């Protein structure tokens, strides 16, 4: 004989699986945002402003220019990266020859390049208007021949990054709405199977709060379990990617990943509680005839 379903049975596994799938997709979008922001930050920190020095400037003059640049607020302040690098004209010539495979010294007879400082800037200054202001300031330093950077690069990167964030945010929002509706319907169906039990509790004098308490607590536990499973899947996926994709370890910001995991857990509990409470409220107000 087929096993009879017990009165008050509840499809816990189905609800937890729905919540897990929902929270994993949302968490995955968050993980993409975190790592894309880190990638953009690394790109910005490696954009350089090049300060070319007049040929007649002495070593003392070069040191003076360096001190002036170091005092500027836009210079990158990071212990991990050397913010200002001196490149002699000989080093610059070597880089040029390696890049172009052409030795200009053979037909020019001399090295026309200049000594320079390559300056990494703070991420907050990575805007075309601010870069123009930096160029203007450094051009006014005595002994500076020319200041150059990749113009329009800042605007192009900022514009493309904004588009990426909008797409990811839109996708996450649409997924959140769809998933909340699906989870809400799943819990609604589960509560539907409990409607006669709920009515029986009302008939013996149980208050709404008394009836709601175990269901809402169960919804919170389901959301928490779904969040834990989703978080474990996210961490497992992230670790697998780090071990198999070269250079991906540089994009990891574990403090933000911890915040993301906690947010997934909190969102799971919130969805579980809110959906359960909303579905219960409907059946607590429903007339007896409507239960059939």
């Amino acid at each position: 004989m087929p096993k009879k379903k017990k009165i008050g049975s509840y499809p816990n596994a189905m609800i937890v699986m729905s919540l897990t799938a929902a929270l994993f997709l949302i968490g995955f979008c968050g993980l993409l945002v975190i790592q894309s922001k880190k990638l953009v930050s690394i790109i910005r920190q490696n954009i350089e402003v090049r300060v070319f020095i007049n040929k007649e400037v002495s070593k003392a003059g070069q040191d003076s220019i360096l001190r002036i640049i170091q005092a500027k607020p836009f210079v990158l302040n990071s212990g991990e990266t050397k913010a200002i690098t001196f490149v002699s004209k000989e080093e610059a010539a070597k880089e040029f020859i390696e890049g172009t495979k052409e030795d200009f010294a053979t037909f020019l007879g001399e090295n026309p390049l200049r000594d320079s400082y390559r300056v990494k800037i703070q991420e907050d200054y990575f805007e075309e208007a601010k870069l123009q202001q930096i160029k203007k300031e450094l051009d006014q330093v005595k002994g500076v021949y020319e200041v150059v950077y990749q113009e329009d690069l800042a605007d192009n990167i900022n514009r493309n990054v904004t588009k990426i964030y909008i797409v990811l945010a839109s996708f996450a929002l649409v997924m959140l709405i769809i998933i909340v509706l699906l989870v809400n319907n799943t819990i609604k169906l589960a509560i539907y199977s409990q409607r006669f039990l709920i009515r029986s509790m009302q008939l013996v004098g149980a208050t709404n709060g008394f009836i709601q308490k175990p269901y809402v607590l169960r919804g919170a536990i389901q959301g928490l379990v779904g969040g834990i499973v989703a978080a474990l899947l996210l961490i497992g996926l992230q670790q697998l990617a780090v071990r198999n994709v070269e250079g991906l370890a540089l994009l990891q910001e574990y403090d933000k990943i911890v915040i993301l995991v906690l947010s997934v857990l909190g969102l799971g509990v919130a969805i579980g509680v809110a959906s359960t409470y909303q579905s219960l409220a409907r059946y607590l107000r429903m007339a007896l005839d409507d239960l059939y």
Side-chain angles (χ1 to χ4, degrees), residues 51-276:
V51 182
F52 292 97
I53 304 169
N54 283 323
K55 290 185 176 181
E56 63 272 13
V57 173
S58 63
K59 180 66 171 62
Q62 291 178 356
D63 292 339
S64 176
I65 293 171
L66 176 60
R67 286 192 294 271
I68 292 172
I69 296 173
Q70 287 174 330
K72 297 293 184 180
F74 52 75
V75 176
L76 180 66
N77 183 18
S78 173
E80 301 176 1
T81 306
K82 191 173 182 182
I84 305 175
T85 305
F86 176 76
V87 180
S88 67
K89 61 182 181 180
E90 289 78 20
E91 291 173 327
K94 185 178 179 182
E95 287 182 4
F96 181 86
I97 292 169
E98 288 177 353
T100 62
K101 307 301 181 184
E102 295 181 4
D103 188 357
F104 53 80
T106 56
F107 56 87
L108 290 179
E110 62 174 351
N111 183 359
L113 303 180
R114 300 173 184 269
D115 297 334
S116 65
Y117 286 110
R118 296 180 181 178
V119 185
K120 298 183 186 298
I121 62 171
Q122 298 275 9
E123 192 174 345
D124 293 342
Y125 289 85
F126 198 77
E127 296 176 10
E128 188 62 31
K130 291 181 178 180
L131 287 171
Q132 286 285 352
Q133 183 61 34
I134 290 171
K135 182 179 186 303
K136 184 178 179 181
E137 283 186 37
L138 294 178
D139 271 330
Q140 295 173 353
V141 176
K142 185 178 179 181
V144 171
Y145 173 76
E146 186 182 17
V147 178
V148 299
Y149 66 92
Q150 292 175 285
E151 295 190 15
D152 297 328
L153 178 63
D155 281 347
N156 288 334
I157 290 178
N158 289 333
R159 190 160 47 246
N160 290 329
V161 167
T162 300
K163 290 179 182 177
I164 292 172
Y165 289 161
I166 289 173
V167 170
L168 285 175
S170 301
F171 178 74
L173 181 61
V174 171
M175 289 302 300
L176 178 60
I177 293 171
I178 293 173
I179 285 163
V180 167
L181 291 174
L182 288 174
V183 171
N184 191 50
N185 286 334
T186 303
I187 293 177
K188 196 173 289 184
L189 288 172
I191 298 296
Y192 176 79
S193 68
Q194 308 279 292
R195 65 194 187 283
F196 293 114
L197 179 61
I198 293 170
R199 177 48 57 116
S200 298
M201 294 172 72
Q202 285 181 315
L203 291 174
V204 297
T207 63
N208 287 350
F210 180 83
I211 297 171
Q212 288 172 330
K213 185 176 179 180
Y215 287 101
V216 171
L217 180 60
R218 182 181 291 173
I221 294 172
Q222 289 166 342
L224 182 61
V225 172
I228 291 172
V229 176
L232 291 174
L233 290 173
L234 279 173
I235 293 170
L237 179 65
Q238 181 255 350
Q239 289 298 312
L240 182 65
V242 167
R243 291 173 185 171
N244 290 278
V245 180
E246 186 178 355
L248 193 60
L250 296 173
L251 304 182
Q252 306 310 305
E253 294 183 281
Y254 290 102
D255 54 339
K256 293 182 179 179
I257 292 176
V258 169
I259 294 173
L260 175 64
V261 167
L262 294 176
S263 299
V264 167
L265 295 177
L267 185 60
V269 173
I271 292 175
V273 169
S275 297
T276 303

Side-chain angles (χ1 to χ4, degrees), residues 20-36:
T20 299
L23 296 169
F24 175 78
L25 289 173
I26 294 171
F28 183 70
C29 287
L31 199 60
L32 287 178
V33 170
I34 290 172
Q35 300 200 348
S36 62

